[in-house]
Amino acid sequence: MSEVTEIVFAPFLPVTVLAALALVIALIVGWGLRRHASGAGWRAAFAVLALLALADPQMVREERQPLDDIALLVVDETASARLEDRGAAIEAARAALRDKLEALPRTVVEEVSVGDDRRTGTPLFAALRERLAEIDRSRLAGVVALTDGIVHDVPAEPDRLAIEAPFHTLLVGRADEFEREQIGRAACRDRV
């Protein structure tokens, strides 16, 4: 935790109005000093104090505590991800990744579960978008998707997700599965 003390200004009037007042006061005080008017110095000091009061300086003391980074685990829990031994592989990978990520200092691990949508298939990116809308993007350390690769909503333009953090996909299944290879290539081609 750190403590920061600073002086901030919260003017009662817009800065342009204060600047105009300062210019008018400077002209009047300058004219008075040039003519050797009595009390011109006191008037100048009073005018400066009045401008300073209108600028409303405030001393602010803040105690700041840095926020932890967020690592997102997007876990595919669809029917295709539970075929054969895929569910066990995803669960083992999830547990191993969670242990390693939680060991990192100042890192919070959050999981996003992706279920079946009978109409549109596996909505992995819809679930990710929904979760990203709820967190502060500047705290996002990275995203790891644990899936069998059968994802039906891979965005045509991955940059529109606006993820400024690493995105990794961990595919489970056998290497000779055709659909998985196609989706893996499409994901790499689209930089997702």
Side-chain angles (χ1 to χ4, degrees):
M1 186 176 327
S2 63
E3 188 172 302
V4 177
T5 303
E6 59 187 352
I7 295 176
V8 296
F9 292 91
F12 293 110
L13 300 172
V15 175
T16 54
V17 172
L18 286 178
L21 280 174
L23 181 63
V24 169
I25 289 171
L27 289 173
I28 292 172
V29 168
W31 181 72
L33 289 174
R34 183 175 163 94
R35 296 195 39 109
H36 302 289
S38 63
W42 288 107
R43 288 185 186 102
F46 176 74
V48 169
L49 286 176
L51 279 175
L52 189 60
L54 287 173
D56 193 22
Q58 301 173 4
M59 184 176 291
V60 176
R61 181 174 300 162
E62 296 177 350
E63 289 183 5
R64 298 180 181 175
Q65 183 170 356
L67 299 173
D68 293 340
D69 291 334
I70 299 172
L72 287 181
L73 287 180
V74 183
V75 182
D76 186 347
E77 296 179 351
T78 60
S80 66
R82 291 189 304 265
L83 289 175
E84 299 174 2
D85 59 345
R86 293 178 190 175
I90 287 176
E91 184 55 39
R94 188 182 88 185
L97 278 170
R98 183 174 265 291
D99 289 344
K100 287 185 180 189
L101 291 171
E102 286 177 344
L104 295 174
R106 300 179 21 90
T107 303
V108 174
V109 180
E110 294 185 12
E111 290 189 20
V112 178
S113 297
V114 180
D116 285 310
D117 185 340
R118 302 243 182 249
R119 293 167 291 154
T120 59
T122 304
L124 189 134
F125 285 92
L128 176 60
R129 270 198 263 342
E130 188 176 306
R131 185 62 188 116
L132 287 173
E134 298 171 356
I135 65 171
D136 178 6
R137 297 282 182 102
S138 66
R139 294 180 56 200
L140 184 62
V143 179
V144 180
L146 305 172
T147 180
D148 63 342
I150 303 173
V151 177
H152 296 93
D153 66 342
V154 176
E157 298 177 39
D159 294 339
R160 294 192 71 197
L161 284 174
I163 297 176
E164 299 291 328
F167 185 101
H168 302 280
T169 303
L170 183 61
L171 293 175
V172 298
R174 294 188 322 272
D176 62 342
E177 293 174 323
F178 177 75
E179 185 176 28
R180 200 173 136 269
E181 287 178 13
Q182 280 185 324
I183 290 173
R185 279 193 216 117
C188 290
R189 182 185 67 239
D190 292 336
R191 294 179 293 136
V192 176

